[in-house]
Amino acid sequence: MKKTILMIAFALCGLIAFAQKIDKKEYSQLKTFLSQTDSKGKSNAQELKITDIQSPSTWHGVTVENGHVVSIDWRDKRLVGDLSLNNFKALSSLDVSRNHLTSLSVSGNIALTNLNASHNKLKQIDLTGCNSLARVAINNNNKPEEDIIKDIIDYLNNTDIIADVSHLNLGGFSDVAEITKKPFIATHSACREILDHSRNLYDYQIKQIANSGGIVGVPFYSYFLNGTGKTE
């Protein structure tokens, strides 16, 4: 009997010790999100098939190194609610795409380079202080496209990252040109005077880029130059 009690005590101590390996503030924010429920009362923890919320080692999609979360992959898990992951100093990759999130805050995540929160129901996004971001996908959300662009440009205005408009439509281009306080560029866009292709730029757009201090990188791609796919 005493032996059994001792074994249980050691097991409990092991669980407590492991829980303490993850940063307490990070753990608290994650636990809060996992506890949120949908309209049917099913929690995010249940959607992720997490049976022990006290043991991060069992959490699907969460990678922890040296006591800090370094990556989270929770794409397409039917997750709901408000996700706050603020000041996760080692978090470099976050994929919560194709869920039902209504807000996302990742402020102060200085190591975050890749963020995918597309195909959700986001109405609010906070990227403050994420100065290492290299790839961001937040398309297909409830938030109007012009507001998303404004959020991104406001973020870029406070970093050393330059906006590239080569893949934007006319409305997106106009929003960037109007909002940005820094030079912006088109890395691979030809001229519509040469070929009326949606990826090419009108003269007024080229002038706007030049007036901002930016540049246009001309592609040697036949579909943008002659529309035939053949070199001449």
Side-chain angles (χ1 to χ4, degrees):
M1 181 67 179
K2 290 182 178 180
K3 187 176 180 180
T4 303
I5 293 174
L6 284 172
M7 289 178 66
I8 294 174
F10 281 128
L12 289 173
C13 288
L15 287 173
I16 293 171
F18 184 86
Q20 290 175 342
K21 286 183 180 179
I22 185 172
D23 181 89
K24 291 181 179 179
K25 292 182 179 179
E26 294 180 9
Y27 173 72
S28 177
Q29 291 181 70
L30 288 168
K31 185 177 178 181
T32 296
F33 175 70
L34 292 174
S35 300
Q36 294 182 51
T37 59
D38 61 19
S39 59
K40 297 181 180 179
K42 193 171 185 179
S43 70
N44 288 326
Q46 290 175 301
E47 293 289 5
L48 291 167
K49 295 180 172 58
I50 294 174
T51 56
D52 186 359
I53 203 168
Q54 305 296 332
S55 180
S57 65
T58 67
W59 294 359
H60 173 82
V62 179
T63 303
V64 179
E65 294 179 2
N66 300 318
H68 294 281
V69 177
V70 296
S71 69
I72 297 176
D73 184 354
W74 282 343
R75 53 188 158 181
D76 199 13
K77 297 298 179 182
R78 298 186 295 275
L79 304 177
V80 301
D82 305 319
L83 177 58
S84 293
L85 303 172
N86 300 319
N87 299 307
F88 279 52
K89 68 178 185 180
L91 181 63
S92 62
S93 178
L94 174 62
D95 190 341
V96 289
S97 58
R98 299 186 181 279
N99 286 293
H100 306 286
L101 304 181
T102 50
S103 74
L104 173 65
S105 178
V106 289
S107 66
N109 292 353
I110 58 176
L112 187 62
T113 57
N114 295 298
L115 170 63
N116 188 349
S118 60
H119 298 274
N120 275 281
K121 297 181 178 180
L122 294 177
K123 297 179 180 179
Q124 183 176 351
I125 304 167
D126 187 354
L127 306 175
T128 306
C130 299
N131 297 334
S132 298
L133 273 175
R135 300 186 66 180
V136 180
I138 49 177
N139 55 293
N140 292 91
N141 274 286
N142 277 2
K143 195 166 188 177
E145 182 177 336
E146 59 269 23
D147 289 347
I148 292 176
I149 291 176
K150 183 179 185 302
D151 287 343
I152 294 175
I153 297 304
D154 284 343
Y155 162 75
L156 295 182
N157 282 335
N158 295 304
T159 69
D160 294 326
I161 303 174
I162 297 175
D164 182 354
V165 296
S166 279
H167 285 262
L168 290 183
N169 58 22
L170 290 176
F173 181 99
S174 297
D175 288 336
V176 172
E178 180 180 349
I179 298 169
T180 187
K181 298 176 182 177
K182 297 169 58 176
F184 63 102
I185 62 176
T187 54
H188 49 293
S189 297
C191 304
R192 287 219 185 186
E193 285 295 319
I194 297 175
L195 180 69
D196 188 13
H197 188 287
S198 60
R199 287 284 299 280
N200 291 340
L201 299 170
Y202 290 107
D203 285 355
Y204 79 86
Q205 293 176 298
I206 296 173
K207 290 177 181 178
Q208 283 182 298
I209 293 173
N211 290 337
S212 79
I215 60 173
V216 176
V218 178
F220 292 93
Y221 183 51
S222 55
Y223 279 108
F224 295 167
L225 298 175
N226 57 35
T228 65
K230 300 178 181 179
T231 57
E232 295 181 353

